[in-house]
Amino acid sequence: MQNKGIVKFIACALMLVCIFYLSFSFVTRHHEDKAAAMGEEAGQEYLDSIMNEKVYCGLYSFKQCREMQIGLGLDLKGGMNVILEVSVPDVVAVLADHKTDPAFVKSMQEAKKEEEKSQADFITLFVKHYKQNAPGHRLAEIFATQQMKGKVSTQSSDGDVERALRAEVQSAVDNSFNVVRNRIDKFGVVQPNIQKLEGSEGRIMVEMPGIREPERVRKLLQGSANLEFWETYNSQEIVPILAQLNQKYAAMGDIAADTVAVADTVKSDTTVADTAAVKSGLAAVLGAKKDTKGAVSKQGQDELIKKQNPLFSVFQPVQGQGLSVVGYAVARDTAAVNKIIYSDVAAQLLPSDLKLIWGAKPAEFDTKATIYELYAIKVTEPSGRAPLEGDVIVSASDGFDQMGHPCVSMKMNSDGARRWAQLTKMNIGRAIAIVLDNTVYSAPRVNGEISGGDSQITGNFSIEDTKDLANTLNSGKMPAPTRIVQEEVVGPSLGAQSIQQGIMSFIVAFVVLMLYMFLLYGWWPGLLANVALLFNLFFTLGILTSFQAALTMPGIAGIVLALGMAVDANVLIYERTKEELRAGFNAKEAMKKGYANAFSAIFDSNLTSIITGIILYVFGTGPIRGFATTLIIGICCSFFTAVYMTRLVFDRQMSRDKWLDLKFSTGLSDKIFKKTSINFMGMSKRAFVIWGAAAVLFVACFMLRGLSKSIDFTGGRNYVVMLEKNVEPEQIRPVLQGAFGESNVSVIALGTEGKTIRISTNYKIESNDPSVDDEAEDILFSSLSQAGFVTQSSVEAFKNPDVRAGGSIISSTKVGPSVAKDITYGAIVSVIFALIAIFIYILIRFHNVAYSVGSTVALALDTLIVIGFYSLLWGIVPMSLEIDQTFIGAILTVIGYSINDKVVVFDRVRENFQLFGKRDRRSLFNDSLNQTLARTINTSFSTLLVLLCIFILGGDSIRSFSFAMILGVFFGTLSSIFIAAPIAYLIMGKRAAKVSEVDK
């Protein structure tokens, strides 16, 4: 083997990289276990105290370690997955200043209606309809507005206007993305995943692990950004009043505590251990933490201090004169501060025009990033609104001032410029607070009146600070409301169950694979193949972690399936080596020829599987992308470990005259498929008749019964409900009949225990009102509780997945019509594209259209048979056979796996043509099929073993996927032998006949 040094280098580099990235998971686990041993409160304080401390190699903080560890998807951890869509029609309407021009209004309505059925984007459709409805008129007549000043003029061409509209829509999406990110950060979610969805105009995906308040999240995410400019108080005007509040609250003791209105904290899920971390030190100022030799315990001292100074024990007021910041508190204490400053006592003491608002980010001086500033806002308008809002901003950008320091430049429209000049003139020497979503992002000092609408905000900013502030200002320049078009909520207990099922299916499948290799090829070859599987798993997990990808249940299935497919490479090599041994070569030469002759088949089969994996990733979303990612990584790793790493070990051992007596077989495997001589080509006519009849049957079944489409394709809501008692779907259906009005309702059973049901409805699915989600859940609770199926005391308990007693919703999913339309289109295109891509690749690799046609026809039949079984069996077998995104992923995986068989067979046919070109074509095809039969059966059987493990042990979430794969592998193996090869044989024969006629 050549280039051994390169193989060793890559193997060592991969090992080091994987060890490095996987080590973050161990570091995180170490500190979390340490925190768990301390108890809930003390443990959380410990974790927060080290959140920004360097805990690994002196380079990485605990927060960074937590971000870089291998993450778990929502189906394993529990949480909420949301796809938000920025309303492009609303953005266009704003840009047109909500014109009432009949042609504009009609074009907007027609574009909205056509968008529901078309794959074209809204702007393309709007422009098309406007040209039809207003012939001779230009778009500039509609969009030469104040909002588009400087971008569209009355002289702009239609092309210029369309480009400007697209740029503004993209800007609205970017702004919405920033707003969503800031809101999620404020909510305190650990390891959220927020990303724009490529290829989907205006869509943003948000994954929030551990969320237990979905109603609050829905309201949080769907509101428009509210950017405001407020006048402020100086600190010396407010701090004395806060001191009075501290004293009066202490004097009232526990009486006032019963009347307070507690507000949301800045970081609800964040706590901090070291309250002495405030700039001057809260505890140090009060002298509360000094050790004494008295009898009073430390806990008693703390309680005494809190009783004497209920506010200032958790809040550090600003000393001396200052601008709008009146004090500081660590994040964990903001709830306690809010309890006091929003109390009835505070309402009596504090000025009526005062609003106290927390800063969005930790204070600049705090290296641990745990201290937040409290700002004093002055309400000057009788309506209680800000004197200036974000709709006046035309643009904001980050840059540098004349001194080279980072700054933010802001431009306002004419109305904003006039009001901004008045506001700055009245507040010279004071700060003006820039507030987004009731959080202060900046409060710059006004040095003089600013006229003309062009402003420059300077300060002690970093480049990142100015970028964030510019994004904040841009976020409020245009109201671009977002709506939830797809949603999934998974309870934490359901996630824990998925982890257990995933690990169990993985362990069992792995052990079965290892035993299978030992039984087929003996101790040393089997051991080496199994070690290669272990390295494959190690490399896959390491690379997956380096991408910071979340591991999902489909992802685990992808790893398990990749391991099953990895066996294929070892089987190919060992079977070719056995052939060379039977041809009379010694073990060393046979092994060398085995690797060489198997390489092309392994390379082609892996590459075709990667092609389908890429198509899965491009057209899939969420879990399907996770599956595709792990599958692609696993295939690449298996190619390296099976072809190169195992070869290194064989070469090393045999160069030292070891393992020279290897037979690559056992007593059992010697008796299987040895020197078979089956006349497969002779069976082709009967095979065509059988497969043709099956195809007709399944097409008829499809036309008569159809398919059980999930909400992925129809749109709607799914609720998985766990009940206390066994129940049949037939008992639930009458209860819900009519409960959701005229909307469709379906009920099916999940699992085999009889207590879990899934209820689907398309109730008001087209509505953008956030309250409809709560309304649907209220109807569901009311109907089930009145019928006695649910005994929860409240709808809140019914919606809490952790409260199982009495029945509860353990997971829910929502798919809007626009997403369902895109999923349907993507599913059809992805399957067709996969078949075309494989056809072209086979044609390029084999230089013969016969191979491409044979493969593509066989793959199309494989796909038809799997879909046909789902049409035939849904509603009959005791499991869900719905057609959803996961099923489409299974179909594409079947195509990718099935082509492996066909590539191996055709590779042997091609090789035999090169060796025995004058042999009868029929005999050559039969010999090739017989020679590869052992490999075909062994590989398919090993993969079926893996899939059976997933099917039996993997849980309901992956059972439909594994069932489709089982059907695909079984019939894909048969189609390789009885469809692909015979069709290629027939086409070659016809082409040869035509060539001979031409020669004559």
Side-chain angles (χ1 to χ4, degrees):
M1 174 180 157
Q2 298 178 342
N3 303 319
K4 292 182 181 179
I6 295 176
V7 174
K8 291 179 181 178
F9 173 78
I10 294 174
C12 292
L14 268 176
M15 288 181 66
L16 291 174
V17 169
C18 292
I19 289 171
F20 172 72
Y21 280 104
L22 289 173
S23 65
F24 288 102
S25 298
F26 291 99
V27 173
T28 304
R29 182 65 179 270
H30 165 73
H31 288 287
E32 289 178 345
D33 288 345
K34 189 174 179 181
M38 298 178 181
E40 184 175 353
E41 185 175 349
Q44 188 61 55
E45 289 183 357
Y46 167 72
L47 291 179
D48 287 329
S49 68
I50 63 170
M51 190 63 68
N52 295 288
E53 298 268 348
K54 304 298 183 185
V55 297
Y56 184 44
C57 300
L59 298 172
Y60 299 95
S61 66
F62 179 71
K63 182 179 180 181
Q64 290 172 317
C65 290
R66 182 179 269 180
E67 291 171 350
M68 295 182 72
Q69 70 172 338
I70 186 166
L72 297 179
L74 300 187
D75 53 351
L76 297 179
K77 192 174 184 178
M80 191 173 185
N81 176 297
V82 168
I83 293 181
L84 296 164
E85 185 174 69
V86 176
S87 177
V88 178
D90 288 349
V91 175
V92 172
V94 169
L95 295 174
D97 270 349
H98 297 283
K99 282 193 171 58
T100 57
D101 177 77
F104 171 75
V105 173
K106 185 179 180 182
S107 300
M108 290 285 286
Q109 292 173 345
E110 290 176 348
K112 288 179 184 178
K113 188 174 181 180
E114 187 177 348
E115 189 187 22
E116 296 177 0
K117 302 176 182 178
S118 170
Q119 285 303 306
D121 61 79
F122 178 81
I123 292 178
T124 299
L125 297 174
F126 166 75
V127 171
K128 181 186 76 172
H129 286 290
Y130 184 77
K131 288 180 178 179
Q132 294 172 354
N133 295 324
H137 292 268
R138 292 183 301 144
L139 289 169
E141 299 173 23
I142 299 294
F143 293 101
T145 62
Q146 184 69 43
Q147 289 281 359
M148 299 291 279
K149 187 176 181 181
K151 298 164 188 172
V152 173
S153 69
T154 54
Q155 305 302 316
S156 298
S157 66
D158 285 352
D160 292 337
V161 174
E162 185 174 348
R163 283 189 289 273
L165 287 176
R166 292 189 184 281
E168 288 301 302
V169 167
Q170 186 57 50
S171 176
V173 175
D174 293 340
N175 297 337
S176 296
F177 178 83
N178 293 323
V179 170
V180 168
R181 183 183 61 189
N182 292 332
R183 288 175 177 175
I184 294 301
D185 289 343
K186 181 179 178 181
F187 200 79
V189 180
V190 178
Q191 286 185 294
N193 177 24
I194 309 168
Q195 56 182 287
K196 299 170 194 171
L197 294 181
E198 298 296 331
S200 300
E201 185 182 40
R203 287 187 187 158
I204 301 166
M205 186 190 75
V206 184
E207 287 187 344
M208 296 160 284
I211 287 294
R212 299 188 181 185
E213 300 171 281
E215 303 92 345
R216 186 178 168 201
V217 173
R218 290 175 191 136
K219 294 174 184 176
L220 182 76
L221 294 179
Q222 294 188 102
S224 297
N226 188 25
L227 180 69
E228 302 163 323
F229 296 84
W230 290 92
E231 295 183 48
T232 63
Y233 279 100
N234 286 338
S235 62
Q236 61 268 27
E237 298 174 288
I238 301 301
V239 169
I241 306 176
L242 292 177
Q244 296 177 33
L245 176 61
N246 179 57
Q247 294 173 3
K248 188 166 184 179
Y249 206 87
M252 295 186 66
D254 295 331
I255 299 175
D258 296 332
T259 62
V260 296
V262 181
D264 290 334
T265 63
V266 173
K267 295 269 183 175
S268 62
D269 283 356
T270 308
T271 55
V272 183
D274 188 7
T275 56
V278 180
K279 188 175 183 181
S280 302
L282 295 180
V285 171
L286 297 168
K289 300 285 184 177
K290 294 182 180 179
D291 291 331
T292 64
K293 296 183 180 180
V296 182
S297 66
K298 184 177 183 298
Q299 183 178 0
Q301 292 180 36
D302 292 342
E303 292 299 326
L304 181 61
I305 293 297
K306 287 181 180 179
K307 189 173 182 180
Q308 293 175 347
N309 294 278
L311 177 59
F312 286 175
S313 62
V314 290
F315 178 77
Q316 171 64 53
V318 170
Q319 306 296 317
Q321 296 186 352
L323 290 175
S324 54
V325 176
V326 296
Y328 312 91
V330 290
R332 67 167 296 202
D333 292 331
T334 55
V337 175
N338 287 342
K339 182 178 179 180
I340 297 173
I341 64 176
Y342 298 136
S343 66
D344 291 344
V345 179
Q348 298 171 10
L349 285 177
L350 298 177
S352 58
D353 61 351
L354 170 68
K355 286 176 65 176
L356 294 171
I357 301 178
W358 292 102
K361 294 183 176 181
E364 292 178 4
F365 60 80
D366 178 29
T367 57
K368 292 186 177 181
T370 58
I371 300 173
Y372 286 80
E373 297 163 315
L374 187 65
Y375 292 81
I377 305 299
K378 181 186 289 187
V379 181
T380 57
E381 298 292 323
S383 63
R385 298 184 63 175
L388 197 63
E389 296 185 352
D391 56 351
V392 302
I393 294 179
V394 174
S395 64
S397 60
D398 58 296
F400 298 90
D401 61 15
Q402 295 178 345
M403 303 298 293
H405 299 140
C407 69
V408 174
S409 298
M410 178 175 62
K411 185 176 182 62
M412 297 183 179
N413 60 28
S414 56
D415 178 53
R418 177 183 57 79
R419 291 157 60 192
W420 181 241
Q422 183 180 6
L423 187 63
T424 52
K425 182 179 180 180
M426 294 170 56
N427 286 276
I428 295 175
R430 288 179 174 268
I432 290 183
I434 301 172
V435 178
L436 179 67
D437 288 339
N438 206 39
T439 306
V440 178
Y441 279 79
S442 182
R445 181 192 188 99
V446 179
N447 295 321
E449 178 185 352
I450 303 174
S451 58
D454 291 329
S455 309
Q456 191 176 77
I457 304 173
T458 59
N460 187 23
F461 294 140
S462 66
I463 295 176
E464 288 185 358
D465 291 336
T466 54
K467 286 183 182 295
D468 289 343
L469 182 54
N471 288 334
T472 300
L473 293 169
N474 282 321
S475 298
K477 73 177 185 179
M478 184 192 315
T482 57
R483 60 177 183 267
I484 294 176
V485 293
Q486 184 172 336
E487 172 192 308
E488 181 179 9
V489 181
V490 180
S493 55
L494 192 62
Q497 181 183 355
S498 295
I499 292 177
Q500 184 179 3
Q501 292 170 336
I503 291 175
M504 180 59 66
S505 65
F506 172 78
I507 292 174
V508 173
F510 199 81
V511 171
V512 167
L513 275 180
M514 294 179 76
L515 292 175
Y516 187 71
M517 293 304 291
F518 282 129
L519 289 173
L520 279 183
Y521 299 109
W523 174 253
W524 287 116
L527 179 64
L528 196 55
N530 290 331
V531 171
L533 286 180
L534 289 172
F535 272 105
N536 183 15
L537 173 63
F538 174 68
F539 290 154
T540 301
L541 289 176
I543 295 172
L544 194 66
T545 307
S546 71
F547 290 163
Q548 294 188 356
L551 187 63
T552 62
M553 193 65 189
I556 291 177
I559 292 176
V560 175
L561 186 60
L563 291 177
M565 296 170 73
V567 173
D568 182 39
N570 294 114
V571 170
L572 275 171
I573 292 168
Y574 290 171
E575 290 297 328
R576 291 306 298 255
T577 303
K578 285 164 67 175
E579 289 182 29
E580 303 303 332
L581 285 172
R582 287 195 290 266
F585 291 99
N586 60 41
K588 191 172 183 179
E589 284 298 317
M591 184 272 300
K592 184 177 179 180
K593 285 181 174 292
Y595 273 93
N597 293 331
F599 181 85
S600 62
I602 296 172
F603 179 82
D604 287 334
S605 60
N606 282 340
L607 191 55
T608 50
S609 294
I610 289 174
I611 289 173
T612 55
I614 292 172
I615 294 170
L616 269 173
Y617 187 85
V618 171
F619 289 98
T621 57
I624 299 304
R625 281 195 166 190
F627 171 79
T629 302
T630 54
L631 186 64
I632 292 170
I633 294 171
I635 290 171
C636 293
C637 292
S638 70
F639 183 78
F640 179 73
T641 55
V643 174
Y644 293 107
M645 289 186 67
T646 57
R647 178 74 182 276
L648 276 179
V649 179
F650 275 122
D651 280 355
R652 182 178 183 278
Q653 292 297 95
M654 290 186 174
S655 66
R656 298 183 178 187
D657 294 331
K658 297 180 178 179
W659 294 2
L660 297 180
D661 58 344
L662 291 180
K663 296 181 179 179
F664 293 90
S665 62
T666 63
L668 176 65
S669 60
D670 276 339
K671 300 175 183 177
I672 302 176
F673 307 115
K674 188 174 182 180
K675 294 183 179 180
T676 56
S677 56
I678 302 172
N679 183 14
F680 290 107
M681 294 300 104
M683 303 178 186
S684 58
K685 290 184 180 180
R686 280 175 289 174
F688 289 162
V689 171
I690 294 172
W691 283 76
V696 171
L697 170 66
F698 287 131
V699 169
C701 184
F702 178 75
M703 295 175 65
L704 295 173
R705 283 177 54 83
L707 293 166
S708 175
K709 295 179 183 178
S710 75
I711 62 171
D712 285 349
F713 294 98
T714 62
R717 294 177 170 84
N718 277 346
Y719 300 100
V720 177
V721 180
M722 174 76 78
L723 303 173
E724 280 192 308
K725 299 178 181 179
N726 289 3
V727 64
E728 295 294 332
E730 290 75 14
Q731 298 174 262
I732 301 293
R733 290 190 189 110
V735 172
L736 298 177
Q737 198 68 36
F740 292 94
E742 297 181 359
S743 301
N744 297 328
V745 180
S746 65
V747 184
I748 65 170
L750 296 180
T752 56
E753 82 284 357
K755 295 182 180 179
T756 306
I757 58 171
R758 195 190 65 201
I759 300 165
S760 303
T761 178
N762 60 352
Y763 178 71
K764 292 186 179 181
I765 195 60
E766 296 184 0
S767 172
N768 296 324
D769 187 350
S771 65
V772 171
D773 297 313
D774 293 336
E775 185 181 324
E777 291 167 346
D778 290 345
I779 293 173
L780 185 61
F781 170 71
S782 176
S783 301
L784 293 177
S785 60
Q786 287 177 11
F789 292 111
V790 171
T791 58
Q792 295 281 17
S793 58
S794 66
V795 67
E796 287 74 21
F798 176 66
K799 292 190 285 187
N800 188 343
D802 290 332
V803 182
R804 295 294 180 88
S808 66
I809 298 174
I810 59 175
S811 74
S812 62
T813 309
K814 169 187 171 183
V815 178
S818 60
V819 173
K821 176 198 69 175
D822 291 345
I823 291 173
T824 304
Y825 174 79
I828 296 170
V829 169
S830 61
V831 173
I832 294 174
F833 193 76
L835 293 173
I836 293 173
I838 288 174
F839 180 93
I840 294 172
Y841 178 77
I842 297 298
L843 181 61
I844 292 172
R845 284 292 291 171
F846 288 88
H847 306 289
N848 194 320
V849 73
Y851 297 121
S852 294
V853 174
S855 299
T856 307
V857 171
L859 291 176
L861 279 173
D862 295 341
T863 303
L864 175 61
I865 287 174
V866 175
I867 296 175
F869 267 104
Y870 269 63
S871 175
L872 181 67
L873 297 178
W874 75 270
I876 298 175
V877 296
M879 58 179 286
S880 173
L881 292 181
E882 280 190 337
I883 306 300
D884 55 13
Q885 289 189 81
T886 304
F887 174 80
I888 300 302
I891 290 293
L892 290 172
T893 309
V894 165
I895 292 173
Y897 181 84
S898 183
I899 193 64
N900 285 1
D901 277 339
K902 294 149 184 68
V903 165
V904 171
V905 171
F906 289 154
D907 184 76
R908 182 59 66 93
V909 172
R910 178 177 59 180
E911 181 183 335
N912 285 337
F913 265 120
Q914 294 169 353
L915 294 174
F916 315 105
K918 296 182 180 181
R919 186 183 295 180
D920 173 62
R921 184 176 289 105
R922 184 188 185 94
S923 300
L924 194 144
F925 264 85
N926 274 326
D927 290 345
S928 299
L929 286 170
N930 281 288
Q931 289 166 7
T932 56
L933 186 61
R935 173 265 163 202
T936 300
I937 300 299
N938 287 338
T939 303
S940 298
F941 188 69
S942 64
T943 306
L944 283 172
L945 286 175
V946 170
L947 290 171
L948 284 170
C949 292
I950 299 175
F951 180 78
I952 296 170
L953 303 171
D956 296 326
S957 61
I958 205 70
R959 186 161 287 133
S960 178
F961 172 89
S962 55
F963 181 65
M965 282 296 301
I966 288 170
L967 293 174
V969 170
F970 180 76
F971 288 102
T973 302
L974 296 178
S975 69
S976 300
I977 298 171
F978 296 107
I979 299 296
I983 287 178
Y985 165 73
L986 291 174
I987 293 176
M988 281 186 184
K990 289 183 179 180
R991 292 184 67 197
K994 289 181 180 180
V995 170
S996 62
E997 288 178 7
V998 171
D999 290 341
K1000 291 178 182 178

